[in-house]
Amino acid sequence: MNNTPPMNKPFTVDSLQAQALKQRLQEALPGSPWQPILEAFNITGVLDTEQLQAISKLERMQLTRLLDKLESFRNGLPPILNKLDKDIRRPGVRGRAPKIYMLGESGAGLLRLLEYEDAHACGLNSETAICHALGMMDIHLAASRASIGIITDHIVNYGEQGVLRPDHQLTGAKTRILEVEQAAGSDTLRRLVTSLEHKQAFFASAESAGFERSVLMLIQLPRGPVWERTTKAWGQAIELCVEKLGKPLNFQIHALPLQDFLRQPDWNGSQREDWVNLYTTVPGTTVIQKAKNVGLEKEKVPSGLMYRTTRDDQIVLAALWQDFRSMTSKNPERFPMAGPDFLHLMHLIYIASHGFRASALELACLPHASIYLLQQYLDMHPELRTRLTKAIHFGRGTMRWNSTTIMHRMQVVINTFLAYHGWRPDGPLLVYSNAADWKDEAPRTFGVVVKIRDEALLMRPRDDVLPMGDELIEFEMALEWVLYSLFNYANELGFGRVEYW
């Protein structure tokens, strides 16, 4: 778990300060479990109150009082523990969300004094990363209770320069790798394929001789539509990886919901019948063969989608293109209703250029693939293109443009685009045009602002997991880019020059 603090935030607690703090705690809290609690934070840097109760053997109120006392003895030093200022509801976990604590600067100083030399304050700042760390702690604590040997978040070196960092290593006659995963979909294919490639390389090395060739994957989701989409995504990633490598994977992957596992742990992966063998979910045909079956020959994958991408990107984007065609196969009804598929479609168009960039040069490129997909989408919907053309160019040659009239015209175009898909701009989805602040360090042009004010807007029928805050931000950015592109890339999209742009 990469919880390293930012480079511009150095440690502020030296050994003398930590020694004085330790002495105050020992004198003021004799017999209390403050040290075991602190040592548990060295594993992932994050614990919730339920996990802390299991470690400390304290009731909830007793634990709260102890944590408050810990902070009262800092005497002006940075926090020992940082309490997260918002609740995070973990998928598949029922009941009230417990409070979450993260290791602070003074806590890290105390741990270094207790011979945890590499201890540092937790730097995790996204809900996804925090949920992942908490899931890892669930497994670590469950293994400890069952007297199972477990190594959490440690690097395994192999070959000359190979590095693998599994979430857990279950030790025994042979070591077994156990991973904790989150929801996945088409937009995460590149990451999934990369993860599989790293494991393939490790299991091909001499250092893997002491490991079981089976990875247990515990997914932080309940069984349901999101679970099914996630396992499907992993199956597709396996298929893409196999196609790229030109040979089968040299290990197996078995998946189970994390909460199901915790209720009935199966540490060797063979005592439960409900494990899903992700390798068996892989269809018998490859992505390119599938493309042929629907009339998309390999060489006919849209050239704009493949503009200046790596071979890896081409494989992933080919799969995304098929998803795109499937998602847009139905025409809008006469009275369209707002639905989550619209936001997911805008996200798919956006990530074609913004989701797979690795280097600074790639990030600096024009978003050719996204422009191409948006252009193709508009061509699929001639009525939408006609409405937008009329809205963009209404009053050409007769208007006197200023900031107010430009922003109003932009809002009209935005409203036209949203209305075609059944959305209004001033409801749970808030969308409006704006002008750049002169203090912003960004191009000073007119822009678009999108706010998703209810995460339920992203939930498809039968979805049972609310999206996290990180996902909301990415979907907002996607719709902002699409709407902004109607003006900024008007020529490329076939609208001609915009008079006021």
Side-chain angles (χ1 to χ4, degrees):
M1 178 62 57
N2 183 11
N3 54 15
T4 305
M7 293 299 291
N8 61 352
K9 187 179 181 183
F11 298 131
T12 57
V13 179
D14 59 34
S15 59
L16 291 178
Q17 292 171 320
Q19 181 61 53
L21 177 56
K22 177 184 175 184
Q23 185 173 348
R24 289 196 296 272
L25 295 177
Q26 289 174 331
E27 292 173 354
L29 303 172
S32 74
W34 69 266
Q35 186 168 328
I37 287 176
L38 197 60
E39 290 174 336
F41 276 95
N42 190 60
I43 300 170
T44 64
V46 182
L47 288 165
D48 65 29
T49 49
E50 292 181 357
Q51 295 167 340
L52 287 168
Q53 282 184 253
I55 293 165
S56 65
K57 306 296 191 295
L58 296 176
E59 297 295 330
R60 183 170 61 86
M61 291 306 298
Q62 291 176 314
L63 173 65
T64 300
R65 285 194 293 269
L66 175 58
L67 297 179
D68 289 341
K69 286 182 179 179
L70 278 179
E71 296 303 318
S72 69
F73 291 103
R74 290 192 286 119
N75 288 2
L77 291 176
I80 297 173
L81 302 174
N82 289 304
K83 183 179 178 181
L84 202 63
D85 59 1
K86 61 179 178 179
D87 292 337
I88 295 179
R89 183 168 297 280
R90 296 165 62 194
V93 180
R94 296 180 179 179
R96 184 178 179 181
K99 298 299 180 182
I100 297 171
Y101 290 83
M102 305 170 72
L103 184 63
E105 299 286 358
S106 292
L110 285 168
L111 283 174
R112 292 195 296 276
L113 197 66
L114 296 171
E115 299 185 356
Y116 295 91
E117 297 178 357
D118 296 329
H120 53 258
C122 181
L124 300 179
N125 54 21
S126 74
E127 292 185 15
T128 301
I130 292 170
C131 278
H132 183 239
L134 292 172
M136 290 170 62
M137 279 304 306
D138 283 338
I139 296 300
H140 189 95
L141 295 175
S144 298
R145 288 193 294 268
S147 299
I148 301 292
I150 188 168
I151 302 172
T152 297
D153 196 28
H154 275 244
I155 288 175
V156 179
N157 295 300
Y158 64 92
E160 293 184 2
Q161 296 181 331
V163 175
L164 189 71
R165 191 166 190 164
D167 290 338
H168 304 284
Q169 300 171 58
L170 305 178
T171 59
K174 281 202 168 185
T175 300
R176 178 176 286 108
I177 291 176
L178 188 151
E179 301 281 14
V180 175
E181 286 290 340
Q182 318 295 319
S186 297
D187 54 329
T188 60
L189 276 175
R190 178 64 182 275
R191 181 184 68 81
L192 306 189
V193 171
T194 300
S195 174
L196 293 170
E197 289 175 341
H198 288 169
K199 290 179 176 61
Q200 176 84 355
F202 169 72
F203 282 111
S205 70
E207 288 78 2
S208 69
F211 285 74
E212 293 282 352
R213 292 184 174 272
S214 177
V215 174
L216 303 183
M217 181 184 296
L218 302 180
I219 304 175
Q220 294 203 77
L221 290 171
R223 294 185 187 274
V226 182
W227 159 268
E228 292 169 3
R229 279 207 300 272
T230 298
T231 55
K232 178 182 177 182
W234 275 102
Q236 191 175 29
I238 291 173
E239 181 182 358
L240 293 169
C241 191
V242 168
E243 179 181 355
K244 179 185 176 185
L245 297 170
K247 58 184 177 181
L249 296 185
N250 52 16
F251 63 98
Q252 293 288 318
I253 307 180
H254 295 84
L256 196 69
L258 173 63
Q259 295 303 315
D260 288 5
F261 180 91
L262 292 173
R263 283 189 287 269
Q264 183 185 340
D266 177 12
W267 299 105
N268 60 18
S270 62
Q271 297 174 350
R272 299 182 59 126
E273 297 181 355
D274 51 349
W275 285 101
V276 176
N277 186 341
L278 294 180
Y279 222 138
T280 63
T281 67
V282 179
T285 58
T286 67
V287 169
I288 299 304
Q289 289 171 323
K290 284 183 184 178
K292 292 180 179 180
N293 292 338
V294 296
L296 295 175
E297 299 291 338
K298 180 176 180 180
E299 62 274 11
K300 291 185 179 179
V301 173
S303 58
L305 190 61
M306 299 306 176
Y307 189 85
R308 291 188 178 177
T309 60
T310 65
R311 170 59 181 161
D312 294 352
D313 288 339
Q314 292 181 19
I315 295 173
V316 175
L317 289 175
L320 290 176
W321 172 246
Q322 295 172 43
D323 289 343
F324 171 76
R325 287 290 295 268
S326 174
M327 291 171 65
T328 59
S329 60
K330 296 181 180 180
N331 292 322
E333 298 178 355
R334 182 179 177 184
F335 300 103
M337 297 292 292
D341 284 344
F342 166 73
L343 295 173
H344 285 271
L345 177 59
M346 298 302 103
H347 183 245
L348 183 57
I349 292 172
Y350 174 75
I351 63 170
S353 289
H354 303 84
F356 305 118
R357 295 296 185 251
S359 70
L361 282 176
E362 288 173 327
L363 287 170
C365 285
L366 285 170
H368 296 283
S370 292
I371 294 171
Y372 180 85
L373 288 184
L374 181 54
Q375 179 191 19
Q376 294 300 305
Y377 178 69
L378 293 169
D379 288 344
M380 290 177 183
H381 297 269
E383 176 62 23
L384 174 60
R385 179 179 284 282
T386 298
R387 294 183 192 179
L388 289 173
T389 301
K390 183 177 180 179
I392 290 171
H393 297 298
F394 182 79
R396 175 186 287 185
T398 63
M399 285 289 295
R400 296 178 65 88
W401 297 108
N402 55 45
S403 60
T404 300
T405 55
I406 291 173
M407 289 176 61
H408 178 267
R409 176 54 53 84
M410 289 180 64
Q411 190 67 49
V412 171
V413 175
I414 290 168
N415 294 355
T416 300
F417 187 90
L418 294 176
Y420 178 84
H421 297 93
W423 293 82
R424 52 185 269 197
D426 55 354
L429 178 69
L430 177 65
V431 187
Y432 58 90
S433 59
N434 76 334
D437 189 323
W438 284 97
K439 296 180 181 179
D440 289 347
E441 294 183 358
R444 292 180 175 84
T445 63
F446 297 93
V448 179
V449 177
V450 173
K451 297 292 182 184
I452 298 175
R453 299 193 281 192
D454 188 339
E455 60 266 35
L457 295 183
L458 293 177
M459 296 183 69
R460 290 162 167 160
R462 294 176 59 238
D463 276 4
D464 45 14
V465 178
L466 285 172
M468 295 183 179
D470 299 340
E471 294 176 83
L472 291 181
I473 293 172
E474 187 165 320
F475 277 81
E476 289 169 350
M477 293 172 60
L479 183 54
E480 285 179 1
W481 183 89
V482 169
L483 294 171
Y484 177 76
S485 297
L486 298 177
F487 309 95
N488 198 51
Y489 302 113
N491 265 323
E492 291 86 342
L493 296 174
F495 293 116
R497 189 181 73 83
V498 179
E499 186 178 30
Y500 46 89
W501 197 260

